[in-house]
């Protein structure tokens, strides 16, 4: 089995913090999720997470006007230059201080970064390769407090910067004689947004207390005069020129421009300076209403201002008249970020409190996109039998179902009133079961999206584990407080039996895939095997050396893996009740040291263990994860570690580093324990002892990195893990790996194409699969004539039949040649069915991948065919009605009834003809 799994996507979280932005065409929204960047394609309804990550959570994203480059800046000021085309990191840079905003100029040649009270203008990276992609051009000083927002004029000549000191500054991007800097007041609170009018120096400023000021400039953009660089040397400077020298100081890192609060003086050559005057002032809040304005965005071509508020409301106003177009409440949490796409039709909203991401079309007043991750940690996940869906359960009591193709959530069940502890699919793939601490196990139907069964116990019990048998008829759940296992019937919903015998909480349940046997793991250091056929008796009791935390059956049911509290994974033969091997995995977990820990990571690792286990699709290896940032894959036969995956490098999480930073240690202890909050509610809250998931009251302390659940996809192409970050998907990327099989000197692309010219189809296919080049295999298959497929399939060696089936499954997902590839699959299965059945265990992942591809096409086509069929039926019925005369109103009702009968006959005839056509 290959272990070249790479991070492919992040589900379960759509937005955390930072600014949203749209792509150049306006069809995709770019959202920062923790330390990663997700792109949601709104036209094709898919999501993708870029394979790049910063060292801490991203706070601001700047996208270039051509949509090719993006600059990601994290909490510390470390920046990445990323290509949105190739998804690669092009450059690393550090601003050394937290950055509040970043904005490219409309011509794409410069970008401005604001940090503390200074605005820095850099040359934007160009098409040619440079040693340093970020070259500082000018530094602008002026505001006395932190800068908050930036906006450019349309021709990139000037930019405006808003500040927390309630002032807005207009700076010239070039050396303009009549505009070096200009300071605007007029507000009584922090500036949230400043926006230039289209093709003008006129300005709108918006402050946190809900005030909008409209500023008019006395100069047009064409009226800016460029200062000549080569000034004649004068014998003596006047006072004005000395001041000018103070304003622009040429330094090693570009010009430094220092603005002063007073108006710049007029020059000697009578050049009139740019002046601003406030022409109007508007207020968003009604009298007596104190609703903080948190974010704003302005679309220049349509003159529409969008403002988001702390109460979860947003307003749309038309400027400069300040006409209210639209107002809506979309959340009960504060709106953190607003963005408008290039056409001005769609508005994106991000709410960091609940992890909401919404795209609203304001003209039709409807949602284009609405997604929300789990509010708290995810606790469990399960794949559907065909690998097409993933279900997750979270501490917020929600059950969400995700599509693995689009990577979006398409249904959320909210019936549970407490944390979900476990979720699973039945073997049909259309029923989801979830266990919760609210004392219920609920069954959800994926056809009608409803909760159709609720299983409860006679006495209230908190269910911590869940399993369903292969037939989907028996549902079992383990209680963590009464040490009992409850069995229900799925058909009737009645409680069948309560299994007692464990002397500790039941931590995990698992049904055998081939027999009606239930394995239960408990903290009483035993695994019990219960026979469901023989009146629910204990068949075997397996003694363990430590508390059992997780148990998993191999896909063929011939082996059992158990994770225990001492960090070991032991393997058992369930038929003989003997241990066949064990792996000591404590050293592989490599737990980090928390900031509040008094002991080292090496000492704290002695108490850590794996909490989640699952077998791979072929049963050769086992995947294990726990309270650590590592996920380990072990080979069962060799009992050795094959590969370790680091699921996150985000230092915003706790327990990420093995050693604490000595610079954070003081004589009074760690600086992490010092509350540095400024009193505005954004302070650091220290977690309560023993709390890993976060108090509902304070959401600001660092969450601890951990893996709560792991599952392999039934197709074997990917695996998923629920972590503190979200739901991470790792998949095999086979297109980039050159992996030949039985390679020889005569196996070359030239010899393969020669066989094609000679029409030796079978040997060409065998050679192509020996070379194992993706494009070449596709070329060979699509060259084979349609009528020759049965002959070629019959003459293929057995080993290549399995390889060809796997290749067909991958091709069917993307190719449009549906009938061609289906013919290949049908002939292979018909001609080699018996041999494949004998090896069904080994090739099960391939067959499930094939089934998943065919099922997806079937769903898409059946919808299209149904739609066409109804349209044809409607058209036929209409055409038959056209020749009929409509009766006058005064005529008796009998004629009307006759007509109705005729129409219904026409409809039934049309439907019969339709059915014949379809058949």
């Amino acid at each position: 089995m290959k272990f070249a799994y790479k991070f492919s996507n992040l589900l379960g979280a759509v937005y955390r913090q930072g600014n949203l932005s749209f792509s150049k065409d306006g069809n995709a929204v770019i959202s920062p999720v923790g330390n990663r960047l997700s792109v949601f394609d709104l036209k094709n309804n898919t999501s993708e997470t870029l394979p790049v990550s910063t060292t801490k959570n991203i706070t601001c994203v700047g996208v270039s006007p051509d949509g090719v480059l993006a600059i990601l800046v994290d909490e510390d000021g470390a920046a990445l230059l990323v290509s949105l085309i190739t998804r690669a990191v092009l450059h690393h840079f550090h601003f050394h201080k937290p950055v509040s905003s970043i904005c490219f100029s409309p011509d794409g040649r410069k970008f401005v970064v604001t940090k503390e009270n200074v605005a820095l203008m850099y040359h934007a990276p160009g098409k040619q390769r440079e040693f340093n992609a970020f070259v500082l051009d000018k530094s602008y000083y002026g505001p006395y407090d932190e800068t908050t927002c930036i906006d450019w004029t349309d021709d990139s000549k000037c930019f405006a910067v808003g500040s927390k000191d309630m002032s807005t500054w207009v700076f010239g991007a070039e050396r303009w004689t009549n505009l070096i800097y200009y300071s605007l007041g007029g507000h009584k609170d922090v500036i949230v947004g400043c926006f230039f009018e289209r093709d003008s120096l006129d300005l709108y400023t918006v402050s946190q207390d809900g005030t909008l000021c409209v500023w008019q400039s006395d100069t047009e953009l064409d009226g800016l005069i460029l200062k000549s660089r080569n000034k004649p040397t004068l014998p003596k400077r006047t006072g004005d020129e000395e001041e000018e020298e103070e304003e622009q100081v040429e330094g090693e890192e570009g010009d430094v421009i220092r603005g002063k609060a007073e108006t710049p003086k007029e020059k000697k050559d009578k050049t009139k300076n740019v002046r601003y005057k406030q022409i109007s002032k508007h207020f968003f809040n009604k009298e007596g209403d104190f609703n903080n304005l948190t974010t704003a965005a302005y679309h220049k071509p349509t003159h529409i201002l969008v403002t988001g508020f702390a109460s979860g409301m947003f307003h749309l106003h038309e400027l400069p008249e300040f006409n209210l177009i639209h107002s809506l409440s979309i959340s009960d949490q504060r709106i953190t970020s607003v963005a408008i796409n290039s056409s001005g039709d769609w508005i994106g909203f991000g709410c960091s409190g609940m992890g909401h991401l919404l795209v609203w079309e304001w003209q039709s007043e409807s949602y284009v996109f609405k997604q929300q991750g789990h509010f708290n940690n995810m606790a469990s996940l399960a794949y559907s039998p065909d690998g097409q869906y993933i279900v997750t359960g979270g501490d917020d009591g929600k059950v969400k179902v995700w599509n693995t193709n689009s990577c979006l959530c398409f249904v959320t069940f909210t019936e549970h009133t407490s944390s979900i502890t476990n979720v699973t699919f039945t073997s049909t793939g259309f029923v989801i079961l979830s266990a919760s601490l609210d004392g219920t196990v609920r069954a959800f139907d994926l056809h009608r999206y409803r909760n159709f069964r609720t299983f409860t116990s006679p006495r209230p019990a908190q269910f911590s584990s869940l399993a369903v048998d292969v037939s989907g008829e028996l549902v079992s759940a383990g209680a963590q407080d009464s040490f009992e296992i409850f069995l229900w019937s799925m058909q009737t919903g009645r409680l069948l039996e309560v299994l007692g015998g464990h002397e500790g909480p039941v931590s995990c349940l698992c049904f055998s895939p081939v027999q009606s046997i239930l394995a239960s793991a408990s903290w009483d250091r035993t695994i019990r095997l219960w026979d469901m056929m023989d009146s629910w008796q204990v068949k075997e009791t397996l003694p363990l050396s430590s508390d059992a935390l997780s148990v998993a059956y191999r896909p063929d049911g011939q082996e059992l893996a158990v994770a225990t509290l001492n960090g070991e994974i032991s393997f058992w033969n369930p038929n003989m009740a003997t241990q066949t091997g064990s792996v000591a995995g404590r050293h592989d977990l490599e737990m980090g040291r928390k900031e509040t820990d008094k002991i080292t990571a090496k000492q704290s690792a002695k108490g850590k263990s794996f909490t989640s286990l699952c077998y791979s699709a072929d049963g050769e290896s086992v995947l294990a994860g726990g309270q650590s940032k590592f996920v380990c894959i072990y080979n069962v036969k060799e009992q050795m570690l094959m590969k370790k995956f680091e699921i996150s490098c985000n230092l915003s999480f706790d327990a990420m580093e093995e050693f604490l930073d000595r610079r954070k240690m003081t004589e009074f202890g760690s600086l992490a324990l010092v509350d540095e909050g400024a009193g505005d509610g954004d302070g650091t809250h220290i977690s309560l002892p023993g709390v890993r998931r976060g108090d509902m009251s304070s959401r600001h302390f660092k969450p601890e990195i951990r893996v709560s659940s792991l599952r392999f996809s039934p197709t074997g192409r990917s695996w998923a893990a629920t972590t503190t970050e979200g739901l991470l998907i790792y998949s095999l990327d086979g297109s980039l790996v050159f992996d030949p099989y039985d390679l020889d000197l005569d196996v070359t692309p030239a010899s393969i194409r020669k066989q094609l010219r000679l029409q030796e189809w079978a040997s060409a296919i065998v050679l192509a699969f020996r070379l194992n080049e993706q494009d070449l295999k596709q070329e060979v298959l699509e060259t084979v004539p349609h009528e020759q497929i049965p002959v070629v399939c019959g003459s293929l060696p057995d080993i290549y039949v399995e390889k060809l089936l796997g290749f067909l499954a991958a091709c069917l997902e993307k190719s449009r040649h549906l009938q061609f590839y289906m013919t290949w699959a049908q002939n292979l299965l018909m001609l080699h069915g018996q041999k494949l059945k004998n090896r069904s265990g080994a090739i099960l992942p391939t067959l499930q991948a094939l089934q998943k591809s065919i099922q997806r096409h079937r769903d898409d086509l059946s919808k299209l065919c149904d739609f066409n069929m109804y349209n044809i039926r409607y058209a036929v019925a209409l055409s038959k009605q056209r020749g009929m005369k409509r009766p006058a109103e005064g005529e008796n009702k009998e004629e009307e009834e006759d007509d109705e009968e005729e129409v219904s006959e026409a409809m039934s005839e049309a439907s019969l003809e339709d059915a014949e056509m379809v058949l």
Side-chain angles (χ1 to χ4, degrees), residues 376-512:
N376 263 346
N377 282 358
M378 289 187 189
S380 177
L381 88 138
Y383 268 99
S384 63
D386 59 358
Q388 202 162 353
Y389 305 122
I390 296 175
V391 60
T392 57
D395 290 347
D396 54 359
K398 289 179 182 172
V399 176
K400 287 179 174 282
V401 191
W402 308 82
N403 188 319
T404 53
N405 296 315
S406 68
C407 299
L408 296 173
C409 171
F410 64 92
V411 63
T412 303
F413 300 109
T414 56
E415 279 79 3
H416 282 293
T417 55
S418 187
S419 297
I420 311 287
T421 51
N422 219 317
V423 287
T424 186
F425 271 95
T426 57
S427 54
T428 60
F430 296 116
V431 175
I432 291 167
L433 287 151
S434 61
S436 170
L437 296 179
D438 63 5
T440 62
V441 172
R442 293 178 185 268
F444 301 99
D445 177 9
L446 276 188
H447 285 305
R448 296 180 182 83
Y449 300 132
R450 64 194 176 95
N451 173 207
F452 70 94
R453 285 270 185 281
T454 303
F455 309 101
T456 55
S457 55
R459 293 184 305 280
Q462 290 190 312
F463 297 122
S464 58
S465 50
L466 175 71
V468 61
D469 75 333
V470 185
S471 65
E473 170 55 24
L474 281 178
V475 179
S476 67
Q480 67 179 23
D481 41 11
S482 64
F483 314 158
E484 292 168 332
I485 299 165
F486 298 89
L487 277 172
W488 296 276
S489 162
M490 177 70 90
Q491 290 289 331
T492 62
R494 293 172 64 181
L495 182 68
L496 299 176
E497 187 67 35
V498 179
L499 307 179
H502 278 299
E503 296 164 13
V506 179
S507 55
C508 189
L509 294 173
C510 185
F511 269 101
S512 166

Side-chain angles (χ1 to χ4, degrees), residues 869-884:
M869 207 165 79
Y870 297 140
N871 274 348
I872 292 166
R873 197 178 291 176
Y874 178 68
V876 170
L878 272 184
S879 67
K880 294 201 172 181
Q881 246 184 341
R882 180 169 285 179
M884 295 179 185

Side-chain angles (χ1 to χ4, degrees), residues 546-547 549 563-569 583-594 597 599-612 625-630 634 654-655 690 692 704-707:
S546 186
D547 299 9
L549 300 177
T564 50
L565 192 61
N566 58 2
E568 278 192 3
I569 302 170
V583 173
R586 178 164 284 164
H587 297 297
D588 302 325
L589 268 171
E590 285 190 42
M591 184 67 190
R593 183 173 176 180
K594 292 171 71 175
D597 277 353
I599 55 172
T600 60
K602 194 174 179 182
Q603 291 296 325
S604 68
K606 290 180 180 177
K608 300 296 181 251
S609 53
F610 293 115
T611 55
S612 183
Q627 299 160 0
S628 153
K629 62 178 177 176
F630 288 106
Y634 292 97
D654 212 348
R692 286 197 189 92
E704 186 182 340
I705 187 77
R706 62 206 294 264
V707 179

Side-chain angles (χ1 to χ4, degrees), residues 55-58 75 649-654 656 701-703:
T55 49
K56 287 203 172 178
N57 287 338
I58 297 170
E75 291 167 346
C649 58
N650 188 356
L651 297 181
S652 296
F653 291 128
D654 212 348
M656 283 296 294
F701 69 88
K702 291 171 84 168

